[in-house]
Amino acid sequence: MSQKTALITGITGQDGAYLARSLVDKGYRVVGAVRRSSTLNLPRLVSLKVAQEVELKTLDMQDFTSIVRLIEEIEPNEIYNLGGQSSVQASFQQPLYTGETSGLGPMRLMEAVKLVLPEARLFEASSSEIFGLKAKGTVNETQDFHPRSPYGVAKLFAYWAVVNYREAYGLHVSNGIMFNHESPLRGMEFVTRKITATLAQIACGGQQTLMLGNLENARDWGFAGDYVEAMWAMLQQDEGDNYVVATGQTHTVKQFVELAAKAVGLDVEFEGEGLEAKGLDRKTGRQLIGVSQDFYRPSEPDPMVGDASKAQEKLNWKPSVNFEALVMMMAQSDLKRAREEQAWY
Ligand code: NAP
């Protein structure tokens, strides 16, 4: 069988790097779409030792011409759309840019595929943030939508665009409605990575205090390396569909902090609640963790947990890394990095 070509938008991001590694290992020719900039953002691809094994081409999710040109040039069998403004928090500051890249962007991609290469299969990185306020408890693909952020609104636009391009034009396109997934390659602007990176620095003698938003916020957190396998499995099906991808368990930010602190060798005890909550070093009494209104969001989704039984049944997918192992993996990776930086300076 001839070698398949995969196009990954957002290849320089967390999921892009894990997916590139996985597809190269499966024997694909992988082409990564990157935004034009004066410096290439390659550390994640380098850290998974895949930077030399992919071809990089310029594309911007805001620019229809660049999308059409690239699809015409490389004729991919599979397209994974992971590119766009991906932070819920940032979407409150940049709502229009978020809508452009994460809402209209996927529609540009599907329109280009429809015009140029309708036989290509597409994956759209949808998000549990589309459920928002309506979601109470366990949610699956039949759940109603009520996004609570500009990011969720953009992702819901893209979700319906996927459904429409499937129904109206017969494209093979799937929504992976993914709950939060993390890894040592998670961006620093996301709370999990902020926690592990800051606690690792404190464990190495840093004098900062880790400032967070609501410690009682709960999320269904999985490992990015597992989630990219679900993306691939969706494109191996006979038809496109919508799938929830989740672990089925939630934990609070506070639980994440407690485990991460232990993993880097800090002994933290919490006192107080809400904005008054603090985490103190049990030995010295020094405040290591605090809460600030600045990190609360204008609106939050209701606490929810994902039911991925459809993905399990149809894609034979289930997560391999549990919450404890995920936190340990991230904390130890950041501790190693902090120790290396300490030795360097
Ligand atoms: P990420 O690490 O923030 O990566 C985002 C990628 O998008 C980066 O490669 C970035 O490129 C690229 N990008 C940003 N704006 C772009 C534009 N205008 N044109 C082309 N590329 C652009 O995000 P991630 O965690 O890997 O997530 C991948 C996708 O899954 C995103 O769509 C995200 O919304 C979605 N998702 C993620 C989660 C999660 O928990 N991780 C959950 C649900 C859905 P630069 O390197 O140039 O910045």
Side-chain angles (χ1 to χ4, degrees):
M1 211 176 76
S2 61
Q3 188 186 31
K4 279 189 185 173
T5 298
L7 169 63
I8 306 177
T9 71
I11 196 168
T12 54
Q14 167 188 260
D15 292 5
Y18 280 102
L19 181 62
R21 178 72 272 163
S22 169
L23 293 179
V24 165
D25 292 345
K26 288 180 173 68
Y28 281 70
R29 170 194 178 208
V30 174
V31 179
V34 293
R35 288 191 279 179
R36 206 215 71 78
S37 73
S38 55
T39 51
L40 268 178
N41 174 19
L42 296 182
R44 293 183 175 109
L45 293 170
V46 169
S47 88
L48 296 185
K49 300 187 174 51
V50 71
Q52 302 294 337
E53 298 180 75
V54 299
E55 296 164 48
L56 299 178
K57 305 266 184 187
T58 308
L59 173 149
D60 197 302
M61 294 305 293
Q62 295 191 89
D63 178 30
F64 185 64
T65 313
S66 69
I67 299 174
V68 170
R69 278 215 185 109
L70 187 53
I71 293 174
E72 270 177 343
E73 181 192 332
I74 66 162
E75 297 188 343
N77 305 89
E78 298 174 10
I79 302 175
Y80 296 86
N81 182 32
L82 312 180
Q85 200 298 96
S86 66
S87 156
V88 174
Q89 184 79 26
S91 77
F92 287 103
Q93 276 88 48
Q94 298 187 315
L96 304 181
Y97 178 70
T98 304
E100 270 292 338
T101 58
S102 302
L104 274 177
M107 193 181 237
R108 287 189 191 98
L109 194 57
M110 284 182 282
E111 185 60 19
V113 166
K114 183 189 109 192
L115 294 174
V116 176
L117 194 66
E119 64 275 24
R121 298 181 172 193
L122 272 99
F123 168 82
E124 168 57 22
S126 188
S127 162
S128 56
E129 294 286 328
I130 62 178
F131 297 132
L133 196 64
K134 287 284 169 71
K136 290 202 170 39
T138 305
V139 301
N140 65 17
E141 297 79 5
T142 62
Q143 176 66 43
D144 284 347
F145 309 110
H146 187 140
R148 296 274 284 165
S149 62
Y151 171 85
V153 172
K155 288 288 186 187
L156 186 53
F157 178 88
Y159 170 93
W160 281 120
V162 165
V163 172
N164 184 243
Y165 272 71
R166 210 160 54 208
E167 292 173 355
Y169 309 114
L171 293 196
H172 188 303
V173 50
S174 289
N175 277 305
I177 311 170
M178 299 186 290
F179 281 62
N180 292 54
H181 46 280
E182 321 294 310
S183 74
L185 303 184
R186 189 62 147 147
M188 289 292 181
E189 69 275 30
F190 294 92
V191 67
T192 51
R193 187 70 201 290
K194 176 177 165 181
I195 292 169
T196 55
T198 312
L199 290 178
Q201 281 163 2
I202 293 174
C204 288
Q207 292 303 302
Q208 62 269 61
T209 304
L210 169 62
M211 296 304 293
L212 296 167
N214 188 351
L215 295 180
E216 299 310 324
N217 272 347
R219 291 286 184 273
D220 179 330
W221 277 299
F223 171 52
D226 284 337
Y227 285 46
V228 301
E229 295 308 325
M231 299 176 188
W232 175 77
M234 283 175 218
L235 298 204
Q236 311 317 307
Q237 304 305 302
D238 289 340
E239 289 178 349
D241 205 339
N242 307 318
Y243 298 91
V244 162
V245 186
T247 69
Q249 290 187 1
T250 55
H251 294 90
T252 62
V253 172
K254 188 172 170 190
Q255 287 172 320
F256 194 106
V257 172
E258 284 168 339
L259 269 179
K262 214 180 274 175
V264 299
L266 294 170
D267 189 7
V268 175
E269 69 180 331
F270 278 94
E271 61 177 46
E273 283 187 11
L275 283 168
E276 304 303 319
K278 318 178 165 159
L280 306 174
D281 185 321
R282 211 184 290 269
K283 280 180 227 123
T284 63
R286 186 186 139 208
Q287 182 177 349
L288 304 181
I289 297 140
V291 174
S292 163
Q293 184 77 55
D294 293 348
F295 299 109
Y296 277 60
R297 289 181 186 158
S299 52
E300 281 278 359
D302 279 341
M304 60 178 135
V305 59
D307 169 9
S309 349
K310 179 174 169 183
Q312 178 154 7
E313 201 179 302
K314 300 216 161 157
L315 309 177
N316 197 21
W317 178 87
K318 61 176 191 304
S320 70
V321 175
N322 69 18
F323 178 70
E324 288 74 18
L326 173 67
V327 179
M328 185 64 81
M329 183 199 308
M330 294 178 69
Q332 287 185 342
S333 162
D334 276 324
L335 188 60
K336 182 166 173 279
R337 191 171 287 126
R339 283 185 179 141
E340 284 164 3
E341 279 168 12
Q342 202 182 28
W344 191 254
Y345 292 109

